[in-house]
Amino acid sequence: MNSVGEACTDMKREYDQCFNRWFAEKFLKGDGSGDPCTDLFKRYQQCVQKAIKEKEIPIEGLEFMGHGKEKPENSS
Amino acid sequence: MKIWSSEHVLEHPWEMVTTAAMQKYPNPMNPRVVGVDVLDRHVDPSRKLHSHRLLSTEWGLPSIVKSTNISFTNMVSVDERLTYKQHPQDPEKTVLTQEAIITVKAVSLSSYLEGLMASSISSNANKGREAMEWVIHKLNTKIEDLAVSARGSIRTPMAAAAALVEKK
C-alpha cells in the first residue's frame, strides 16, 4: 500500500511492519506498554505531514463530517 | 439527513478481525483505495488504542462535474462508523455494526440523493465484508505457513490472547 506522499511509501511500509507485529504480539495480548516503533513513526510522520501540506489536503476540514464525539486526536 | 445501519456476524474471533481491519488495504474489492497513512496513533491511559488514518481514494469524478466546477465535497457528507465487538454468545465470532449518516446540503433533491447514497453504501458494505474475509484468509494462510515451517510446534497465539484482551 502506498503513502499519500510518494517519498514516504518506504518509510510507511517499514513502520507498518513494526506496528502490525507489535499489535498482534503485544497489544492484543494485553501488553500496550512500550512502543518499539516510535523512531520509525517519527520519521514517517515528518514525511507525511510535509506531503499533506504540499498537496494542500484539508485535514482540518474532516471535522465538518464528524460529530465531535470519540474522535481520535488530530496531530496535524 | 439519512441514517443507514446494518449488523453482521463474522465467523472469526475479535483479535483476528481487528488485526485484519488494521491491514485492510490493499484488497481486490477496494481498488479505489490507493493510499493509507497513519496521521496519529497512541494508547490512552485506559489502554485504548487510537489510530487516526487518512485513506487516499480515486473516485473518478465524471468530466461534467469537473468542467462545471461543482464542489461535491461541500454538498455531500457521509459519516460512517464500523464497530467490531466480540459476539456476546460466542467468543469465536465477532459482530460488525455499521452505521452511516448521510447529509446532502442541497435545497432540492436532497432526500433523493441521500437515498441513492444509502443504496450505494449498502452495496459497498457487502464489498467491505468480502474484503475483510479476504484479508483474514490471507493472514490465516500466513500463520499456517509459519506453523508448518516451524514444524507445527507453535500454535497461533491469537486464541490464547482472547482471555487477556479487554473487549470494546
Side-chain angles (χ1 to χ4, degrees):
Chain A
M1 196 78 262
N2 294 332
S3 169
V4 67
E6 294 81 13
C8 313
T9 294
D10 286 343
M11 285 180 238
K12 174 200 128 64
R13 288 180 188 170
E14 236 187 303
Y15 165 71
D16 281 347
Q17 257 189 327
C18 180
F19 170 77
N20 288 334
R21 204 178 307 131
W22 171 84
F23 183 73
E25 293 171 12
K26 290 269 153 63
F27 183 73
L28 287 183
K29 297 184 184 184
D31 181 7
S33 66
D35 184 0
C37 313
T38 338
D39 290 342
L40 286 172
F41 188 61
K42 267 195 197 115
R43 263 197 335 142
Y44 162 51
Q45 276 301 287
Q46 277 167 2
C47 186
V48 165
Q49 296 294 346
K50 186 161 163 277
I52 284 169
K53 279 200 179 75
E54 278 167 10
K55 293 181 192 240
E56 295 180 343
I57 296 170
I59 301 296
E60 288 77 17
L62 287 173
E63 277 142 29
F64 90 91
M65 291 188 341
H67 310 289
K69 52 174 176 167
E70 266 186 61
K71 230 163 164 65
E73 283 163 24
N74 185 335
S75 68
S76 64
Chain B
M1 186 177 90
K2 184 170 190 69
I3 297 170
W4 171 92
S5 73
S6 111
E7 209 179 72
H8 175 77
V9 175
L10 288 115
E11 310 269 327
H12 307 279
W14 183 83
E15 289 76 13
M16 174 53 80
V17 172
T18 45
T19 301
M22 290 296 187
Q23 301 177 52
K24 192 173 174 184
Y25 306 102
N27 72 71
M29 292 81 186
N30 297 109
R32 299 206 191 274
V33 177
V34 298
V36 181
D37 284 291
V38 179
L39 301 183
D40 180 43
R41 185 171 265 156
H42 64 276
V43 179
D44 74 16
S46 71
R47 288 174 36 189
K48 205 186 283 185
L49 174 70
H50 298 260
S51 298
H52 193 174
R53 298 196 292 179
L54 176 72
L55 265 65
S56 303
T57 57
E58 274 171 11
W59 293 109
L61 283 179
S63 50
I64 179 85
V65 172
K66 285 179 196 159
S67 63
T68 54
N69 202 27
I70 293 171
S71 172
F72 274 111
T73 53
N74 289 330
M75 284 171 60
V76 178
S77 103
V78 176
D79 209 339
E80 191 173 13
R81 174 180 291 229
L82 285 83
T83 307
Y84 295 104
K85 282 193 165 119
Q86 183 180 253
H87 194 286
Q89 277 90 48
D90 186 348
E92 292 303 301
K93 296 186 184 169
T94 304
V95 179
L96 162 62
T97 309
Q98 256 173 296
E99 297 166 302
I101 295 177
I102 307 149
T103 310
V104 177
K105 292 182 208 165
V107 176
S108 59
L109 290 184
S110 53
S111 58
Y112 170 69
L113 287 172
E114 285 168 0
L116 268 188
M117 298 225 50
S119 309
S120 170
I121 286 167
S122 182
S123 72
N124 281 340
N126 284 329
K127 250 200 317 186
R129 292 192 282 261
E130 269 178 56
M132 285 297 287
E133 293 293 341
W134 183 89
V135 177
I136 288 168
H137 176 78
K138 198 177 81 166
L139 291 173
N140 276 330
T141 308
K142 235 189 258 181
I143 289 168
E144 278 165 32
D145 286 348
L146 282 173
V148 163
S149 68
R151 300 186 184 266
S153 58
I154 301 161
R155 284 190 58 82
T156 169
M158 282 193 179
L164 298 173
V165 176
E166 179 186 34
K167 304 297 181 286
K168 286 190 196 177

